[in-house]
Amino acid sequence: LPEDVALRDPDRNPLEVDVREGRPRTVLFALGEGSGGRAGMLSRVLNLSVDGVKFGLVIAMTAIGLSLIFGTTGLVNFAHGELVAFGAIIAWYGNTAWFGGGTRLILATVLAVAAGALLGGGLERGLWRPLRNRGTGLIAMLVVSIGLSLFIRHILLFFFGGRSLPYSDYTVQSAMRLGPISITPKDLWIIILSAVVLGVVGLVLQRTKIGKAMRAVADNRDLAESSGIDVQKVILVVWMFGGGLAALGGVFQGMSEAVNWNMGFLLLLLMFAGVILGGLGTAYGALAGSLVVGLVTQLSTLVFPAELKNVFALAVLAIVLMFRPQGILGRAERIG
């Protein structure tokens, strides 16, 4: 190792692992700057906080659609994670096979967002609207969403395979130094673009006619319908809106790690945590809750193994809901 770099935990050298025949096994030797002391700890906290913000913004982008769908239809959609993986895989094929030139991933991302929006709209028109028109209960529709999740996930497995593959663009980059923070250009752009997209989403919800209609339907569907709002049209737009955001979040997550057929399912629990923590049915609550989940997930690795980081995000969810059951930005309601 270079003179200014040391193992983060010298006691984890050597490492002993079990390797089975025919199965690869990755062994990680965590590196950290050899400065140590308070400066080294501060640098780790700042870097993990930046990673947490990035992860939280990606979760928020995928969770906003999930929250709006619940707010407008009452459906807890377990198949939403597959929209994330679908977008990432479509972008991977566009990036590696369908487009040429230096803007391959940008064009592939546009294609993925459009495909995610079309898939979300197609599911609404072809599956969920007919079920609602037949008077199917929310519990039955929840079970249908679980089956749909399994179906789409294994379709993705059939076509993409079980491997984890990176995009061909922006894969190997040197980290930039911003004071004590070390960050790669692609991670910086993920944070910037995610913040811009979420800002645009907020403006759409606050300033546009369709955005106000979405919030009205989510707040009180019957009153919105009696006010002349086309509820079915609004729900279709919400599904397309959520599908496009989920696909874009999948692309950003694929840039951070790798594209995998199961990546959406692995994010689904954190999406639910962000939505519930922020307040069910509110887009801004999903954003706030997702940022908390992202920060707790990453900062927990300061003390505990990285394999347990999702556990602490769910622990924070349980603790917050004990004292504020409606979530961070949710409203308390009287029942009965």
Side-chain angles (χ1 to χ4, degrees), residues 35-114:
S35 57
R38 293 184 179 179
M41 177 58 70
L42 176 62
S43 177
R44 286 187 62 194
V45 170
L46 291 175
N47 280 286
L48 287 174
S49 297
V50 171
D51 287 341
V53 169
K54 180 191 70 174
F55 191 39
L57 289 173
V58 172
I59 295 173
M61 198 177 307
T62 59
I64 283 176
L66 184 65
S67 182
L68 288 174
I69 289 169
F70 175 83
T72 53
T73 66
L75 172 65
V76 179
N77 181 25
F78 276 86
H80 197 74
E82 276 53 59
L83 295 176
V84 176
F86 174 77
I89 290 174
I90 290 294
W92 185 87
Y93 278 112
N95 178 232
T96 58
W98 298 339
F99 297 118
T103 58
R104 288 180 298 178
L105 186 54
I106 297 174
L107 295 175
T109 300
V110 174
L111 175 64
V113 172

Side-chain angles (χ1 to χ4, degrees), residues 117-307:
L118 289 175
L119 178 59
L123 290 174
E124 156 61 14
R125 289 298 301 269
L127 177 63
W128 302 118
R129 184 178 296 183
L131 288 176
R132 287 198 306 273
N133 292 339
R134 295 179 61 181
T136 305
L138 291 175
I139 298 298
M141 293 175 69
L142 182 148
V143 175
V144 171
S145 75
I146 295 174
L148 179 65
S149 169
L150 293 171
F151 175 75
I152 297 177
R153 197 183 320 156
H154 288 86
I155 289 292
L156 296 177
L157 173 62
F158 177 79
F159 285 101
F160 187 73
R163 59 204 186 279
S164 295
L165 297 173
Y167 295 115
S168 60
D169 294 346
Y170 318 119
T171 51
V172 180
Q173 292 184 332
S174 299
M176 304 182 300
R177 297 291 303 184
L178 302 175
I181 298 173
S182 177
I183 186 172
T184 60
K186 68 176 181 181
D187 287 341
L188 181 61
W189 276 108
I190 288 174
I191 293 174
I192 293 172
L193 292 176
S194 298
V196 169
V197 169
L198 292 173
V200 171
V201 170
L203 289 175
V204 169
L205 292 175
Q206 291 290 341
R207 301 296 179 85
T208 66
K209 185 176 180 181
I210 187 63
K212 294 176 181 178
M214 288 182 192
R215 292 190 292 117
V217 173
D219 187 60
N220 191 319
R221 176 173 174 171
D222 293 334
L223 181 60
E225 193 166 18
S226 66
S227 301
I229 295 176
D230 188 345
V231 172
Q232 297 299 333
K233 177 182 177 181
V234 170
I235 292 175
L236 176 62
V237 173
V238 165
W239 273 94
M240 296 183 69
F241 197 62
L245 285 175
L248 182 59
V251 175
F252 287 162
Q253 182 67 6
M255 290 177 64
S256 297
E257 298 182 2
V259 180
N260 183 273
W261 67 283
N262 205 34
M263 60 188 295
F265 178 72
L266 297 177
L267 279 178
L268 184 63
L269 198 59
L270 296 178
M271 282 188 252
F272 278 125
V275 169
I276 297 171
L277 185 60
L280 283 170
T282 65
Y284 300 110
L287 171 58
S290 297
L291 285 174
V292 172
V293 168
L295 285 169
V296 171
T297 299
Q298 299 297 350
L299 288 174
S300 66
T301 60
L302 281 169
V303 181
F304 300 98
E307 293 82 3

